[in-house]
Amino acid sequence: MKNMNVIRLGGVGALCALLTACPGPPPPAPMSLTFTFPDTPAVDTLRLSGVAFGTNGQYLRTIGDGGYLWGAPGSVMNRTTIYINGYSLQDLQKTACLSPFKGGETDGMRDVVVTPDTVQTCNVYFVLYNDLNRNGQPESTEELYQTHSIYSYASEAFTYSFTSADGRTTESGARRKGWSLVAHEVRQPSATPGRYVVTMNSVPEADEGLAVRLHEPTNRLISQGAPLGGTLGGAK
């Protein structure tokens, strides 16, 4: 009887695998993110998208999209919300987007410390652009505004720090396991002119509903799109 039960259990497992009826891991919770940006003509090519890249830095896919942001002739847009589907996030984790954080996001940096250093990440970047060729993919000539804040997946909770290659910037951060909004903030301490301190931390889940400000393209290691000097608040 014991052997028969083992055979039966084995048969159930095989059947489950063949029929793919066994429940897999649940998808991440869907996420709505709100963005603000300078007044922009509401033309029928205006679009806000989340974009993921592969390990080689090439465009991978667009994920999370606010559609085309157009309105009455002469009107402007300065705020929108995009929806990110949990199944799309789950699919993204299975692609070439997921890669080691150490040696990936820290490539070219000095004094790199990542704990644990085996963590893998996958990032979604946000951009407002004029989709002139209507292919749904932001291109450099179409980009209007961006943010250095990201929506990021971490295979495990981790902390990190590094110094930029030119020695002008130190960056540190702490991200929690799973998907989270990671806020980019920059300080330029008055005691060290020309030196910058960047943090990239997962915001509390309760704060993920706060609006993220988009700005003109800037250098992530020295600016978040606002005048520097003292502490710069907000995720940008």
Side-chain angles (χ1 to χ4, degrees):
M1 179 65 73
K2 181 177 180 180
N3 289 338
M4 184 61 71
N5 287 338
V6 171
I7 292 172
R8 287 174 178 169
L9 288 173
V12 170
L15 181 62
C16 181
L18 287 173
L19 299 179
T20 63
C22 292
M31 173 58 59
S32 293
L33 296 174
T34 299
F35 298 85
T36 61
F37 45 90
D39 287 351
T40 304
V43 295
D44 62 1
T45 53
L46 188 64
R47 191 168 192 161
L48 174 65
S49 295
V51 182
F53 298 92
T55 53
N56 58 2
Q58 296 300 308
Y59 170 84
L60 188 61
R61 62 180 294 189
T62 297
I63 182 169
D65 189 83
Y68 290 101
L69 311 179
W70 58 278
S75 63
V76 297
M77 295 286 295
N78 55 28
R79 185 184 184 95
T80 192
T81 298
I82 66 174
Y83 174 82
I84 302 178
N85 182 280
Y87 287 99
S88 295
L89 293 175
Q90 190 176 60
D91 290 342
L92 191 60
Q93 292 169 223
K94 302 174 183 178
T95 68
C97 177
L98 193 62
S99 62
F101 179 84
K102 188 174 183 179
E105 293 187 50
T106 64
D107 183 43
M109 303 303 170
R110 299 163 27 189
D111 308 320
V112 176
V113 178
V114 183
T115 306
D117 62 7
T118 55
V119 65
Q120 293 186 303
T121 57
C122 170
N123 299 328
V124 177
Y125 304 87
F126 300 98
V127 59
L128 184 75
Y129 60 106
N130 267 324
D131 190 19
L132 300 176
N133 58 14
R134 296 183 182 275
N135 67 353
Q137 301 178 17
E139 299 172 8
S140 58
T141 56
E142 300 174 331
E143 183 176 357
L144 298 174
Y145 301 111
Q146 63 173 212
T147 174
H148 300 308
S149 295
I150 57 178
Y151 201 56
S152 180
Y153 174 82
S155 59
E156 50 193 323
F158 73 102
T159 60
Y160 75 94
S161 63
F162 63 71
T163 301
S164 61
D166 62 10
R168 297 176 61 195
T169 301
T170 59
E171 178 173 315
S172 63
R175 302 188 198 178
R176 62 177 178 268
K177 181 178 180 179
W179 288 96
S180 65
L181 178 63
V182 179
H184 172 264
E185 296 185 348
V186 180
R187 289 184 297 117
Q188 185 183 18
S190 58
T192 55
R195 305 282 178 169
Y196 305 89
V197 178
V198 177
T199 57
M200 290 282 285
N201 295 319
S202 293
V203 304
E205 292 184 62
D207 291 342
E208 290 189 336
L210 299 178
V212 177
R213 181 70 175 173
L214 299 170
H215 53 75
E216 293 182 356
T218 58
N219 183 335
R220 182 180 73 84
L221 291 175
I222 64 173
S223 175
Q224 61 183 47
L228 294 176
T231 299
L232 298 176
K236 300 181 180 180

